[in-house]
Amino acid sequence: MAQPSREFQVFCKPVGAACNLHCSYCYYLSRKDLYPAGTFPLMKEELLEEYIRQHIDATTDDTLFFSWHGGEPTLAGLEFFRKAVDLQKRMLPQGKRLVNGIQTNATLLDEEWCRFLAEAHFLVGVSLDGPAQIHDLHRQTAGGKSSFEATLHGYRLLQKFGVTTEILCVVHAFNVNYPLEIYRFFKTLGARYLTFLPLVERKPGPTGGVTSSTVPALAFGRFLATIFDEWAEEDIGTVTIQLFEEALRAAFAQEHTLCIFKSECGGVPVVEHNGDVYSCDHYVDPAHRLGNLREHPLSHYLDSPRQKAFGEAKNSTLPRYCRECPVLGMCHGECPKNRLITTPDGEAGLNYLCDGYRLFFNHCLPMVEALKTLNTDT
């Protein structure tokens, strides 16, 4: 009997929430409180081997994709990743393709690191929020010092060694006001792949609301629309922007690849440094702990009723306002973690970013419709 298809991407955290920076908006730093203090949370070699074996066994397509996250995953050390790649190659089934991705602040990268990442064909995401005065507003060391020059140095080294690199830019209440300055800065760096991540932070406590650093929804929509216009005019084919690619998939009736825009989620679980499995990177908490790799294999958790219910809830809890939205197929209510507000008629569960996404997706519609026509004609 053929094995059923199983689509997933694990965020593996080899050092948990450990990080050499102390970014003010980081939602993962607090996850260190889930584990005993006093010891560095490095994934043990035997667990690394078991995780890789289980990941390979759970994969049903021809590409084996490993995604390394943190905290700051390079704190695991270069030898950890050499060992990981060696194990992957040793276990790689015949006919399968191996891909590794790592998300890093790039401050710890040197030539030895970049040579390895190039030779092992890693895809590297680098967190960079814009020019120095913007980047350093939130992305500082634990001592409150700038991280910009170290990040830029790491990024340049990655370029020097020919590593495929994507910039991930968090868009917050300040830098949302400078869309073209930020976009053009990234272009001066020779960036070819960009992702813009909206910052939505809940205020602590029972009163609700969002923090002052949170990006205003409509401002985020205008930020995207402004960059989209320049990108459409000057940079299609040379710069790939993840949100724009997702928006334009509608023109070709293609499924979304980004979890926040899929109709259901649950395919991006987390494996922590000790083997604990959680439903999602934004739900690493006791209520969403599925178990441990030492108790059951990864495939068990991916297919578990709890994880299926977690993923299906994204669609089943959509308010009527979303279901009747003309751009529902481009958004699907975005990430459930951002469903913090009520609809105009008072129903709970509307995404905080709704107004911004509606603005942006409607701004894209003329190009989507033009591409649909072109696709039909050909």
Side-chain angles (χ1 to χ4, degrees), residues 95-172:
K96 299 282 188 179
R97 174 173 170 259
L98 174 64
V99 178
N100 277 284
I102 187 170
Q103 176 60 34
T104 176
N105 59 45
T107 62
L108 301 177
L109 298 181
D110 57 19
E111 292 205 352
E112 187 179 10
W113 259 109
C114 293
R115 186 176 294 108
F116 162 75
L117 294 169
E119 291 173 351
H121 304 292
F122 268 66
L123 308 176
V124 180
V126 174
S127 297
L128 183 63
D129 287 353
Q133 67 274 20
I134 292 176
H135 177 87
D136 286 334
L137 185 64
H138 289 284
R139 303 190 60 81
Q140 299 178 353
T141 68
K145 295 182 179 180
S146 167
S147 68
F148 177 78
E149 288 300 333
T151 299
L152 189 60
H153 176 70
Y155 183 73
R156 291 297 195 196
L157 281 177
L158 290 165
Q159 290 180 308
K160 174 183 175 181
F161 283 87
V163 178
T164 300
T165 307
E166 178 180 29
I167 289 177
L168 278 74
C169 172
V170 174
V171 184
H172 46 73

Side-chain angles (χ1 to χ4, degrees), residues 268-280:
V268 191
V270 162
V271 170
E272 259 284 351
H273 70 284
N274 69 337
D276 283 347
V277 183
Y278 294 88
S279 291
C280 168

